[in-house]
Amino acid sequence: MRERMPGLVVAASAALVSWLVHLAVPAVPILTAAVALGIVVGQVPALQPVLEGRLAPGLRIASRRLLRLGIVLLGLKLSLVDIAGLGWVTIVTTLGVVVVTFVGTIGLGRALGLPGHQPVLVASGFSICGASAIGAMAATVRAKDEEQAVPIALVTLCGTLAIAVLPALWHPLGLSATGFGHWVGAGVHDVGQVVATAQLAGPTALAVAVVVKLTRVLMLAPIVAITAAVERRRAIEPSGPPPAIVPLFIAGFLAAVLLNTFVPLPEWLLTGTDWVQTALLATALFALGASIRVGELVHTGWRALIVGLTSWVLVAALAYGAVLLG
């Protein structure tokens, strides 16, 4: 445990800094700030030996175990009652956006020759819930740490761009405040980025955006389970067991959703777990960001950039169509 403490302390301190950045600039979500801070730190040559040496064990724990625990607590944000209140048209079109974006991004990624698990990781991030989904999927398919770098960088870049681009298109596209909230919830990647974007249109838009977004987050469980089943059939490694069809942390996520749906939890408990969940994910995402080396991405990531930008446009276009149908 002693060897893990330095990395954990650094990652937790970075999460605190990200929170302070969010307080100073509310338009910057905490999780986006955490990933961005990790990426910046990871590019400093003098820090790289420390990140890859003494801090590595703690950062590894943060990016894996703390991420999974944060995803479990994320389930307490969801209530099946709130989702049902959207109406069947909105629910069906939202799920359709997730599925089409996920499948389409994987297909494009494979067509352009992205290596290893990158196609499914990029697809998870853009279709479901950003860097958190990438981490969850990476844990399920046992992706290498370096395979997560490009997808996380892309989803952070495009999610940050969405905070500026979507509000600029709000009125030209003729959307009401409610319609704008629906569009943001169905088309922006991370929950924090959704909040930062939708709040510009007022509390009604924000409420709609969050519920639609959390409906997408609920798709994390079935998509991870299906992907795990596919990986299980493909597994040929004699040195270890195949991936579990439903990873333990995904089962915990579903249990948290059901708990929040059927048990009247006190508001103080939900508020407290929300803070803990945000802190865990910020700590984990800083650790993931610190593993990214932008110099390597510039030379090897141009195909991934095309996939990411295309997926971003695809999910935004599909989400806009879903608003029109709703």
Side-chain angles (χ1 to χ4, degrees):
M1 185 62 186
R2 182 178 299 177
E3 67 176 6
R4 299 172 180 174
M5 284 305 297
L8 287 171
V9 169
V10 168
S13 300
L16 177 59
V17 171
S18 301
W19 175 65
L20 294 175
V21 170
H22 173 68
L23 288 181
V25 187
V28 179
I30 295 175
L31 300 188
T32 300
V35 175
L37 180 59
I39 293 174
V40 170
V41 169
Q43 310 322 303
V44 180
L47 297 179
Q48 289 174 3
V50 181
L51 293 172
E52 297 167 3
R54 186 183 178 193
L55 300 182
L59 293 177
R60 193 175 301 115
I61 290 294
S63 66
R64 296 177 183 177
R65 295 185 185 178
L66 296 190
L67 177 71
R68 296 175 195 180
L69 183 56
I71 289 172
V72 170
L73 294 181
L74 181 61
L76 291 176
K77 285 179 174 284
L78 281 77
S79 168
L80 298 181
V81 174
D82 292 337
I83 292 174
L86 292 172
W88 70 269
V89 174
T90 300
I91 293 173
V92 170
T93 55
T94 299
L95 301 185
V97 169
V98 173
V99 172
V100 174
T101 303
F102 184 78
V103 174
T105 303
I106 289 179
L108 180 60
R110 289 176 176 169
L112 289 181
L114 296 191
H117 294 100
Q118 278 192 11
V120 73
L121 296 182
V122 174
S124 301
F126 279 85
S127 65
I128 306 174
C129 57
S132 301
I134 292 171
M137 188 62 76
T140 301
V141 301
R142 298 173 181 171
K144 299 175 182 178
D145 289 346
E146 53 268 26
E147 289 183 298
Q148 301 179 57
V150 172
I152 289 173
L154 287 174
V155 81
T156 301
L157 169 65
C158 291
T160 303
L161 289 175
I163 296 174
V165 172
L166 267 64
L169 297 176
W170 169 17
H171 295 298
L173 290 177
L175 295 174
S176 64
T178 301
F180 178 71
H182 184 177
W183 186 38
V184 171
V188 179
H189 318 310
D190 178 79
V191 176
Q193 294 164 345
V194 166
V195 171
T197 307
Q199 65 184 358
L200 299 175
T204 301
L206 178 59
V208 171
V210 169
V211 177
V212 171
K213 176 59 192 176
L214 293 179
T215 304
R216 289 171 62 197
V217 173
L218 189 61
M219 288 294 287
L220 180 65
I223 286 181
V224 164
I226 292 170
T227 305
V230 172
E231 288 292 314
R232 190 180 180 90
R233 294 186 62 182
R234 291 178 177 175
I236 57 174
E237 302 176 75
S239 58
I245 293 180
V246 180
L248 184 60
F249 70 96
I250 292 298
F253 168 81
L254 289 174
V257 173
L258 294 176
L259 180 66
N260 190 40
T261 300
F262 297 108
V263 178
L265 300 175
E267 189 62 33
W268 64 264
L269 178 61
L270 293 175
T271 301
T273 54
D274 184 45
W275 276 101
V276 173
Q277 173 256 328
T278 301
L280 288 171
L281 290 182
T283 303
L285 294 181
F286 169 81
L288 287 171
S291 68
I292 296 173
R293 300 294 177 263
V294 173
E296 298 175 8
L297 301 186
V298 171
H299 295 292
T300 63
W302 65 269
R303 288 174 296 181
L305 180 61
I306 293 175
V307 174
L309 291 175
T310 303
S311 184
W312 179 41
V313 173
L314 174 63
V315 71
L318 290 173
Y320 179 65
V323 174
L324 297 181
L325 289 175

